[in-house]
């Protein structure tokens, strides 16, 4: 005797972020939902272009605010700032992101000047982490085949980036799509992180590799 089981239910579509602009005639949420689901989507979709344009205008508006406290109040309404017992994080001027709703930043975090967070997928920064100047976090990815890329007409997709608590990323670090960096990690300036990094280690180079381990005692030893 054999039995068959019913197919699993289709996954629920992701919730739409708050404060999105209303649809205009001829627009839909289809490509946005594909993007949020980490499926291939078309970035040239008219609604997504309009959402990005509004995000760019908001980033430019906030960038003109010289006072740090006032600037962080503005970012608090645009990004997901997760305040804890220390109560504040700091983002220097020159910060760039595309959507805002996909960026979450923990407590007591510092983001240096001229950092770029391409937040097509979610980017999370853990508590007490420091991000050096001109660091770039890239979630988008494209087909390797030029025919599939098709200039600006082909589909693209994105993979999330997560950076743990108590990390230090030096200046001009690049973190590639889909990378998770563990807690207590130091990334040397100019490194390109292409794969996951375990907790409590030092990585350097292009591609970044583990060169040291950081013991619970605080001692740093060769890997």
């Amino acid at each position: 005797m054999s039995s068959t089981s019913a197919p699993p239910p289709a996954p629920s579509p992701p919730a739409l972020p708050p404060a999105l602009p209303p649809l205009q005639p001829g627009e839909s949420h289809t490509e946005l939902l594909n993007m949020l689901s980490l499926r291939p989507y078309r970035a040239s979709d008219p609604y997504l272009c309009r959402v990005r344009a509004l995000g760019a205008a908001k980033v430019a508006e906030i960038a003109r605010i010289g006072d740090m406290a006032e600037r962080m109040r503005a970012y608090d309404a645009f990004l997901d700032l997760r305040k804890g017992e220390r109560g504040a994080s700091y983002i220097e001027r020159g910060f760039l992101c595309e959507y805002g709703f996909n960026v979450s930043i923990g407590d007591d975090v510092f983001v240096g000047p001229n950092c770029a967070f391409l937040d097509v997928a979610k980017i999370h920064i853990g508590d007490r982490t420091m991000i050096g100047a001109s660091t770039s976090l890239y979630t988008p990815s494209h087909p390797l085949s030029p025919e599939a890329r098709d200039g600006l007409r082909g589909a693209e997709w994105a993979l999330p980036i997560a950076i743990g608590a108590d990390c230090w990323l030096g200046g001009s670090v690049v973190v590639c799509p889909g990378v998770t960096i563990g807690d207590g990690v130091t990334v040397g300036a100019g490194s390109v992180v292409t794969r996951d990094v375990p907790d409590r280690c030092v990585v350097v180079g292009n591609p970044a590799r583990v060169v040291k381990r950081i013991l619970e005692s605080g001692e740093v030893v060769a890997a």
Side-chain angles (χ1 to χ4, degrees), residues 129-166:
T129 282
M130 300 186 295
I131 308 290
S134 301
T135 285
S136 300
L137 311 182
Y138 298 148
T139 68
S141 192
H142 302 268
L144 295 180
S145 161
E147 292 77 17
R149 284 197 304 273
D150 194 19
L152 300 180
R153 295 183 178 181
E156 61 181 74
W157 59 92
L159 296 170
I161 289 172
I163 298 174
D166 300 300

Side-chain angles (χ1 to χ4, degrees), residues 103-128:
V103 177
S104 64
I105 294 177
D107 189 35
D108 198 28
V109 168
F110 176 80
V111 178
N114 302 317
C115 287
F117 290 11
L118 299 192
D119 57 329
V120 176
K122 289 188 178 298
I123 293 174
H124 176 70
I125 312 295
D127 296 344
R128 301 175 302 280

Side-chain angles (χ1 to χ4, degrees), residues 72-132:
M72 292 312 301
R73 285 193 292 271
Y75 275 129
D76 196 23
F78 181 57
L79 309 174
D80 178 13
L81 300 185
R82 304 183 178 184
K83 298 176 184 175
E85 62 180 20
R86 301 192 183 184
S89 289
Y90 302 94
I91 301 174
E92 291 288 355
R93 297 175 77 172
F95 176 77
L96 171 69
C97 69
E98 293 189 283
Y99 295 98
F101 54 72
N102 266 341
V103 177
S104 64
I105 294 177
D107 189 35
D108 198 28
V109 168
F110 176 80
V111 178
N114 302 317
C115 287
F117 290 11
L118 299 192
D119 57 329
V120 176
K122 289 188 178 298
I123 293 174
H124 176 70
I125 312 295
D127 296 344
R128 301 175 302 280
T129 282
M130 300 186 295
I131 308 290

Side-chain angles (χ1 to χ4, degrees), residues 1-5:
M1 179 181 292
S2 64
S3 62
T4 59
S5 59

